Amino acid sequence: MNYGWNDVQRIAEELEEQHPELDPYSIGFTRLQQMIKQLPDFDDTSGRVGEKVLEAVQTLWAAEKG
């Protein structure tokens, strides 16, 4: 099932699954956006991306790390 920019929790979970070795806060927004676009089943045309969305993804991804 596809998901998009509004699904920040799902994005964070997918990023943790794909890149468990990375610190979310060490990644710049440009790189983070590219990483998200490469996630399986991600639909880049669904929703809008901006700084607030990327900040939310970083925060939730860090929380996924426990």
Side-chain angles (χ1 to χ4, degrees), residues 14-27 31 35 61 65:
E14 294 288 336
L15 285 169
E16 178 58 19
E17 186 175 308
Q18 298 287 321
H19 305 285
E21 75 286 358
L22 295 179
D23 172 8
Y25 295 118
S26 70
I27 300 166
R31 180 171 175 219
M35 289 171 63
W61 183 8
K65 296 191 136 332

Side-chain angles (χ1 to χ4, degrees), residues 33-51:
Q33 186 173 353
Q34 289 303 315
M35 289 171 63
I36 293 168
K37 288 179 179 182
Q38 295 172 354
L39 291 172
D41 299 321
F42 183 76
D43 179 6
D44 184 34
T45 64
S46 176
R48 293 176 40 190
V49 64
E51 192 171 304

